[in-house]
Amino acid sequence: MLKSSVKNNIVLIGFMGAGKSLLSQRLSVRLNWTVLSTDDLIVKREGRPITDIFAQSGEPYFRAVEKKVVSDIARKDEIIIDCGGGVVLDPENLAVLKQKGVVFYLSATPEKIYQRIKDQTHRPLLNVPDPLARLEELLAKRQAFYEQADYTIDTNDNDWQRVCEEIEMIMSERAKNMSPDK
Ligand code: S3P
């Protein structure tokens, strides 16, 4: 009975370029767990890339589809949920995700994030003349939302193995603490 209350999924949140997708893939290989990416599910559902969704239908439309995708994410065990950077803006999304798993915020400074994403063009919110200023502004607005995660993991050093190990350690400690044998 206790088993049903064990939240056996990993949910990754954080700003664009925080390393969520990269880390999801690494964790997936290490743990042999499936990854569900909210962005991929949106693209599949809409049959068009995210830049087209923003350009043709606008951000509010994108957020509505994103919300449907979050609420539809299968309630399975042992999945990694890779969330788009803006998922947390809707408190109902975060509540759903907290029910489905343990939420990790991957944090990094604006400068570090900028270094990681400056040559990419698939994020409409950052396709502006001064992406670093936009990034700083958005990150400042979103910080409080991200900090509602169960755990914050610093990714500034790009040491993804250490980040994987930290997350795996937390998950296994939680599983131990919730074990019916305890
Ligand atoms: C967004 C982040 C993107 C994608 C969309 C909007 C955001 O996902 O959902 O471009 O508002 O932060 P990534 O965080 O995976 O880049």
Side-chain angles (χ1 to χ4, degrees):
M1 333 120 272
L2 252 180
K3 176 86 175 85
S4 64
S5 65
V6 175
K7 295 195 294 181
N8 229 0
N9 297 320
I10 294 173
V11 180
L12 300 180
I13 64 168
F15 202 77
M16 300 171 256
K20 296 164 299 202
S21 301
L22 176 92
L23 198 67
S24 296
Q25 296 309 325
R26 298 269 181 111
L27 285 168
S28 168
V29 171
R30 290 168 64 104
L31 301 170
N32 198 22
W33 289 15
T34 301
V35 178
L36 291 181
S37 146
T38 60
D39 283 349
D40 288 353
L41 293 169
I42 293 167
V43 168
K44 206 165 165 192
R45 196 177 172 123
E46 287 288 307
R48 51 188 176 151
I50 288 175
T51 37
D52 286 0
I53 304 174
F54 270 74
Q56 295 160 358
S57 309
E59 184 173 350
Y61 177 86
F62 174 84
R63 296 296 171 206
V65 181
E66 186 174 58
K67 186 166 188 167
K68 278 194 209 120
V69 160
V70 169
S71 81
D72 286 353
I73 283 178
R75 202 189 172 96
K76 287 195 278 179
D77 263 353
E78 302 189 343
I79 56 172
I80 300 156
I81 305 176
D82 170 12
C83 296
V87 158
V88 295
L89 298 174
D90 185 325
E92 287 176 20
N93 285 346
L94 193 60
V96 168
L97 291 165
K98 280 198 173 188
Q99 278 169 14
K100 292 179 197 288
V102 185
V103 180
F104 294 91
Y105 165 37
L106 304 184
S107 79
T109 61
E111 294 73 23
K112 188 52 110 179
I113 292 173
Y114 181 66
Q115 285 309 314
R116 292 180 190 155
I117 55 128
K118 66 180 175 13
D119 298 323
Q120 302 173 351
T121 54
H122 65 282
R123 297 184 174 96
L125 291 177
L126 299 177
N127 288 341
V128 293
D130 187 349
L132 178 58
R134 179 97 165 105
L135 192 158
E136 283 170 335
E137 178 205 332
L138 283 176
L139 188 56
K141 278 196 198 143
R142 292 178 176 186
Q143 198 65 33
F145 293 97
Y146 292 135
E147 283 172 0
Q148 289 171 39
D150 297 307
Y151 300 90
T152 295
I153 313 277
D154 190 310
T155 72
N156 281 302
D157 61 3
N158 289 341
D159 184 348
W160 302 108
Q161 176 162 335
R162 191 260 312 151
V163 174
C164 283
E165 285 167 1
E166 234 177 273
I167 292 176
E168 288 165 11
M169 180 113 70
I170 290 170
M171 293 302 286
S172 79
E173 282 303 311
R174 288 178 65 106
K176 254 191 258 160
N177 289 337
M178 297 192 80
S179 150
D181 303 332
K182 173 121 174 107

